[in-house]
Amino acid sequence: MPHDHSDHDHPHSLLPPDPALRVKALETILTQKGLVDAAALDEIIDTYENRIGPRNGAQVVARAWADPEFKAALLADADPVLAELGFYGRQGEHMVVVENTDAVHNMVVCTLCSCYPWPLLGIPPGWYKSDAYRARAVREPRKVLADFGVTLPADCAVRVWDSTAEVRYLVLPQRPVGTEGLDEAALMDLVSRDSMIGCGLAGPQ
Amino acid sequence: MRPEPAFEAPWHAQLFALTVHLNETGVFAWPDWATRFGATLKRRGLEKDLNGGDDYFEAWLETLEALLTETGATEAAALAEMRAAWKAAYLRTPHGQPVTIKA
């Protein structure tokens, strides 16, 4: 019975790429030294692959749309509000939420590396980490927005926030018109990851 | 709507977890990490535009190796030796069997 290998049988295990071998080497050495606990690594991976993602951020946005008091508190000082929802910790230590309005559209970048609010959005997408985005978001944000299919009115200012290891930002997108009466779950479905980075608008996904 | 996978390759995830874990156990502080990582990205980005995928995590790996070597948590020679041990293990382990460096 022929099997799936297209070219030839592998007599030995498929050799991982060089960086993967180097990561294994690091992990083995540090484990032997007692600096690393394999179970803790698995737990971290599981968390970001399966449990933490942009739905957390979407919940915050949906609640802010529906509850003016919550929104006011969130914009004034996000940390205690997010802590209460359980969205804190790793890379979310100091969060600032910036609100999009008719007059200003906010966008988030990290020009240094790729600082990103993990507790609210999970792991950043590849494009957020690319040189192209990191350089162009500051230099020509409107063109970047156009690449994402977002065209803003000429009188709407664009403000770009540069994340750091100490401060991370979440964009509160504008609530789409005609969504009065939707419950929180339905509102959440309108909130894309990109809209919370400021590279998209909220709306039907 | 199915979300994109958080990590494009298993080793990206392993490397990420390793770094987060070492930070949380106090081996290094995150701002220090971000500064070093930013410097690696900047240097590598001078040669070519990084696409945010493999090249991003290669820069990450280089930064972590350098940091851990500098702080004495490991040594370059030990890393090279262990990398070779893993390579040899993959090459001698029959396909489909678990790969282990304990022969």
Side-chain angles (χ1 to χ4, degrees):
Chain A
M1 182 75 194
H3 57 112
D4 283 331
H5 299 305
S6 53
D7 45 0
H8 63 289
D9 286 341
H10 293 289
H12 56 75
S13 301
L14 203 57
L15 191 62
D18 180 66
L21 292 171
R22 285 160 58 199
V23 172
K24 288 187 90 65
L26 265 180
E27 189 181 329
T28 308
I29 289 175
L30 297 172
T31 304
Q32 286 173 351
K33 290 195 166 192
L35 287 171
V36 163
D37 169 12
L41 298 187
D42 291 344
E43 164 71 21
I44 292 169
I45 293 172
D46 180 53
T47 297
Y48 291 100
E49 283 193 331
N50 302 314
R51 294 207 296 270
I52 292 187
R55 294 291 287 172
N56 290 0
Q59 189 187 329
V60 173
V61 169
R63 191 160 300 177
W65 285 344
D67 179 346
E69 271 181 43
F70 176 88
K71 178 174 141 183
L74 184 72
L75 293 174
D77 184 6
D79 294 335
V81 178
L82 296 173
E84 197 158 312
L85 290 171
F87 302 151
Y88 60 93
R90 285 185 197 135
Q91 310 309 311
E93 287 88 346
H94 184 40
M95 285 296 310
V96 172
V97 179
V98 288
E99 183 187 18
N100 285 351
T101 64
D102 286 339
V104 61
H105 178 93
N106 297 283
M107 239 174 114
V108 182
V109 67
C110 173
T111 57
L112 173 67
C113 46
S114 52
C115 300
Y116 193 72
W118 297 350
L120 292 166
L121 298 181
I123 300 301
W127 59 259
Y128 184 84
K129 301 177 283 190
S130 70
D131 279 359
Y133 179 73
R134 291 169 44 228
R136 290 181 60 222
V138 175
R139 207 172 58 227
E140 45 185 27
R142 281 179 193 272
K143 283 191 184 165
V144 173
L145 287 173
D147 290 346
F148 279 93
V150 176
T151 312
L152 299 170
D155 61 351
C156 179
V158 178
R159 192 174 293 161
V160 180
W161 300 85
D162 195 357
S163 314
T164 66
E166 285 87 18
V167 187
R168 283 115 208 280
Y169 300 91
L170 183 83
V171 174
L172 177 59
Q174 281 190 285
R175 180 172 178 163
V177 291
T179 57
E180 298 77 15
L182 293 184
D183 64 12
E184 187 173 293
L187 289 174
M188 277 175 71
D189 288 340
L190 302 173
V191 186
S192 66
R193 174 195 64 202
D194 292 0
S195 75
M196 293 180 280
I197 307 175
C199 290
L201 303 177
Q205 304 300 310
Chain B
M1 186 179 76
R2 190 171 164 72
E4 297 165 34
F7 300 101
E8 288 168 28
W11 71 266
H12 297 180
Q14 285 298 126
L15 177 59
F16 170 86
L18 192 58
T19 310
V20 167
H21 181 53
L22 290 170
N23 164 240
E24 288 184 346
T25 53
V27 175
F28 53 82
W30 200 263
D32 181 30
W33 162 260
T35 304
R36 288 166 178 264
F37 183 39
T40 311
L41 286 172
K42 190 170 180 185
R43 180 167 44 74
R44 286 185 161 223
L46 295 178
E47 293 152 33
K48 64 173 181 115
D49 255 13
L50 306 181
N51 65 21
D54 265 354
D55 55 14
Y56 172 86
F57 281 104
E58 279 166 21
W60 183 307
L61 175 57
E62 180 189 314
T63 309
L64 185 64
E65 284 175 340
L67 196 164
L68 294 173
T69 308
E70 212 178 293
T71 58
T74 184
E75 290 160 18
L79 282 178
E81 200 174 302
M82 189 59 79
R83 180 198 160 284
W86 272 111
K87 184 174 179 181
Y90 273 94
L91 293 176
R92 74 165 174 264
T93 306
H95 186 61
Q97 309 252 326
V99 179
T100 157
I101 49 171
K102 286 171 198 132

